[in-house]
Amino acid sequence: MRVVGARSVLAVGVLGGGDTVRGMLEFGLTGGIGSGKSTVSALLAERGAVVIDADVIVHDLQRPGELVFDAMIERWGDAVVADDGTLNRAAVAQIVFSDAAELDALNGIVHPAVAAETSRRIEQVSNDVIVVHDIPLLVLPGGELLTSRDHTMWAGIVVVDTPEDLATDRVVSSRGMDPDNVRERMAAQASRDDRRSVATFVIDNSKDLDALEIEVDRCWQWMTTLERRGDAEESEPGHITPTGPETNGGAEKDATS
């Protein structure tokens, strides 16, 4: 897996099937809590994408001694500091996901720093690759885009789409979170319709991991056959949609994160 973040960057320009990307192509990747976005990100990395993980960057910038950490402590005080002196992320989440003004304040602290660090890290990447910007909160309520990169330079936006009830069940099962807390976080984020309205490609994650692998293969084929940014820009957002129905059927293997 090749991730530009806390993990190392490997320079690989040759893609599966013998194809080569002609110049760097950048894509946004997003999805709500429990959608399986992180799983999709990992599957795309396995296929040859360079993933720039916004969460990894944020975690790096929120270490004690970093400017983002200091700014957060200045705003919220010791209430967001864990016993070991690191950031108490659960305490931060409790504050911001129940108060839109506090969420805006957090974004104001974090996103400028993420923008600068993302630019620095992408300069390390070879030009002959597909870059995927993994950004959980890429889409705001109402469908507005919030990004640490200029999305107008991207070849497309990939949205991982999962029914909310299924996503809630997955988060409760995998993380042990309270269902009401999961729903509260969902309510504070963009809706499924908001995300789909800006999507160039929608990945359906309403089934098991085998079905998700097929969806990711379909997405990777689309990515690797784009030869220039104009190929994506000529199409309307959301024109590429899931192949299967959105069902909540049980599965032996599940993609939850």
Side-chain angles (χ1 to χ4, degrees), residues 89-137:
R89 302 181 195 283
V92 174
Q94 191 68 31
I95 292 170
V96 303
F97 285 112
S98 59
D99 189 322
E102 296 300 336
L103 182 57
D104 286 343
L106 177 64
N107 288 337
I109 292 170
V110 171
H111 285 285
V114 171
E117 182 62 16
T118 299
S119 295
R120 187 188 70 80
R121 295 187 185 195
I122 203 168
E123 289 174 358
Q124 306 171 20
V125 178
S126 165
N127 283 330
D128 296 327
V129 295
I130 285 178
V131 174
V132 173
H133 295 273
D134 181 340
I135 306 176
L137 301 180

Side-chain angles (χ1 to χ4, degrees), residues 6 19 27-28 34 56 60 63 65-66 91 108 126 162 178 183 217 239:
D19 296 326
F27 298 86
V56 171
D60 287 349
R63 290 193 302 246
E66 297 288 341
S126 165
T162 305
D178 180 85
R183 295 187 190 100
D217 281 339
H239 73 289

Side-chain angles (χ1 to χ4, degrees), residues 121-233:
R121 295 187 185 195
I122 203 168
E123 289 174 358
Q124 306 171 20
V125 178
S126 165
N127 283 330
D128 296 327
V129 295
I130 285 178
V131 174
V132 173
H133 295 273
D134 181 340
I135 306 176
L137 301 180
L138 174 61
V139 187
L140 296 174
E144 181 184 354
L145 289 174
L146 174 67
T147 177
S148 59
R149 290 283 291 177
D150 182 359
H151 65 85
T152 61
M153 298 298 291
W154 293 350
I157 294 174
V158 178
V159 169
V160 184
D161 184 59
T162 305
E164 290 183 355
D165 288 346
L166 177 57
T168 300
D169 291 344
R170 287 173 171 174
V171 175
V172 170
S173 175
S174 64
R175 306 186 200 177
M177 290 180 62
D178 180 85
D180 289 338
N181 183 250
V182 177
R183 295 187 190 100
E184 184 179 70
R185 292 196 185 193
M186 286 181 172
Q189 298 178 2
S191 68
R192 291 177 67 197
D193 286 343
D194 290 337
R195 293 188 186 91
R196 290 174 66 100
S197 72
V198 302
T200 318
F201 195 107
V202 178
I203 290 179
D204 175 18
N205 188 19
S206 63
K207 303 184 186 69
D208 62 11
L209 185 57
D210 289 333
L212 182 62
E213 290 263 11
I214 294 171
E215 285 287 281
V216 173
D217 281 339
R218 195 169 60 89
C219 180
W220 184 244
Q221 165 110 22
W222 168 68
M223 288 179 167
T224 56
T225 53
L226 288 176
E227 294 186 356
R228 61 187 187 279
R229 290 190 178 93
D231 289 345
E233 291 168 355

